[in-house]
Amino acid sequence: METVYVGLDLGSSSFQQVGIKTDGSIKVNRSFTTSEANLRGAFADQQGEIHVHLEAGELAPWAASIIAPLVTRVVCSHPKDNAWIAKDADKCDRVDAYKLAELLRLNRFKEVHYAPDQPRRNFKQLVQHYDELTGQQARLKTKIKARFRMQGVIVRGERLFSSKGRQEVLAQVEARDLRTAIKQLYEVLDQSVSAQEQARLLMLRAAQAFPEIKIFRTAPGVGPIGACRFSAYIHTPSRFSSKRKLWKYCRLSVSHRS
């Protein structure tokens, strides 16, 4: 049975498919408009033992789930680890797809893990959504403090984010237009807080489908948010290249326990 190594350069509008044989010669080189039907069609006519390599990205989990039943193996690698592709001035879809195929043939790539089942992938996205809103909220608070400092108003702690505290601090800003600008930042912050709470509820509701989260919560210092992060992120082995990074993340999650 012939073995073919296929590189798939995947874009939102089109994708390039390059297949090479074990001796390095090119067997397939063609492009398609990106769609589920075309992804299936690109591999439905392939014969032999087909191994597919694509770079991690927004479309990668979706494409891999479509291709997987049609081929022997699908692997995803991180773009930052593919210096031959990322740092090469000669970049085009055909060349990048060929390089992905060649890296797979030579086994010169670092695999990125994607959960094979859709519910778990969806849950990870919900956790990421919550974390993104949490980060957005922290950035907004930093920005509000900076705006006050620019007016010579120095406030420490969380007092300026309470309803009473923010009014007291705003009163110290003399320029009316600047007060209005800071009020607008407060409005965005309030919206972010509300969205974060809704995201938290979505995440915790989805978490009920994964029994390991209850086990995580039995560990001292691990709350519901930390348990969700453990399940979503530690489930992805490539996120942690060493035990040191793994334990660092665990300690970080515990220190921000909900």
Side-chain angles (χ1 to χ4, degrees):
M1 180 180 293
E2 185 179 45
T3 300
V4 181
Y5 301 93
V6 178
L8 199 67
D9 189 72
L10 187 63
S12 58
S13 58
S14 65
F15 66 89
Q16 184 78 25
Q17 181 193 46
V18 173
I20 59 178
K21 301 178 183 179
T22 53
D23 62 1
S25 60
I26 296 177
K27 180 179 181 180
V28 177
N29 185 359
R30 53 190 181 179
S31 62
F32 299 84
T33 300
T34 301
S35 70
E36 180 175 345
N38 284 342
L39 279 169
R40 294 185 186 280
F43 291 94
D45 63 349
Q46 297 292 301
Q47 301 295 322
E49 189 174 297
I50 309 300
H51 299 259
V52 184
H53 182 197
L54 61 156
E55 288 186 318
E58 294 176 349
L59 294 173
W62 167 75
S65 66
I66 294 171
I67 298 168
L70 306 173
V71 300
T72 305
R73 179 175 63 140
V74 179
V75 298
C76 298
S77 63
H78 200 293
K80 291 183 178 179
D81 292 326
N82 297 331
W84 187 28
I85 298 174
K87 297 182 179 180
D88 195 334
D90 183 15
K91 289 187 66 63
C92 69
D93 294 348
R94 179 184 59 79
V95 172
D96 289 352
Y98 169 78
K99 289 178 179 179
L100 287 169
E102 183 69 359
L103 288 169
L104 180 60
R105 183 178 75 92
L106 299 174
N107 196 30
R108 299 290 299 274
F109 63 92
K110 293 182 180 179
E111 186 171 0
V112 172
H113 175 80
Y114 285 111
D117 55 302
Q118 189 64 44
R120 189 169 287 280
R121 292 200 297 270
N122 292 345
F123 176 64
K124 182 177 180 179
Q125 289 184 38
L126 289 175
V127 176
Q128 290 174 325
H129 176 58
Y130 172 82
D131 283 345
E132 287 165 2
L133 289 174
T134 300
Q136 180 188 73
Q137 189 180 134
R139 290 189 294 273
L140 281 167
K141 288 183 175 182
T142 299
K143 182 178 291 187
I144 290 171
K145 288 183 177 181
R147 294 292 175 85
F148 278 120
R149 285 197 299 270
M150 292 170 68
Q151 303 306 310
V153 180
I154 311 299
V155 182
R156 293 179 174 81
E158 295 290 307
R159 182 171 65 87
L160 77 165
F161 300 117
S162 66
S163 298
K164 181 180 179 181
R166 69 176 62 177
Q167 295 303 322
E168 293 175 351
V169 179
L170 277 169
Q172 299 179 48
V173 179
E174 295 182 2
R176 184 178 63 182
D177 289 345
L178 291 177
R179 285 200 306 272
T180 300
I182 296 174
K183 285 180 180 178
Q184 291 174 343
L185 286 177
Y186 274 126
E187 291 172 1
V188 176
L189 176 62
D190 291 340
Q191 293 171 1
S192 178
V193 171
S194 176
Q196 182 201 36
E197 175 59 18
Q198 294 176 40
R200 185 183 72 86
L201 295 175
L202 282 172
M203 177 180 63
L204 294 179
R205 184 165 66 231
Q208 297 175 12
F210 304 104
E212 75 275 7
I213 292 177
K214 291 183 178 179
I215 299 174
F216 287 142
R217 291 193 62 184
T218 62
V222 178
I225 304 304
C228 287
R229 286 171 175 156
F230 286 161
S231 178
Y233 295 138
I234 297 177
H235 183 77
T236 306
S238 60
R239 181 180 172 90
F240 305 98
S241 58
S242 68
K243 289 184 178 180
R244 179 178 297 179
K245 288 186 177 181
L246 172 60
W247 284 111
K248 180 179 179 181
Y249 181 81
C250 290
R251 290 195 298 270
L252 179 65
S253 296
V254 171
S255 67
H256 289 84
R257 60 177 299 191
S258 51

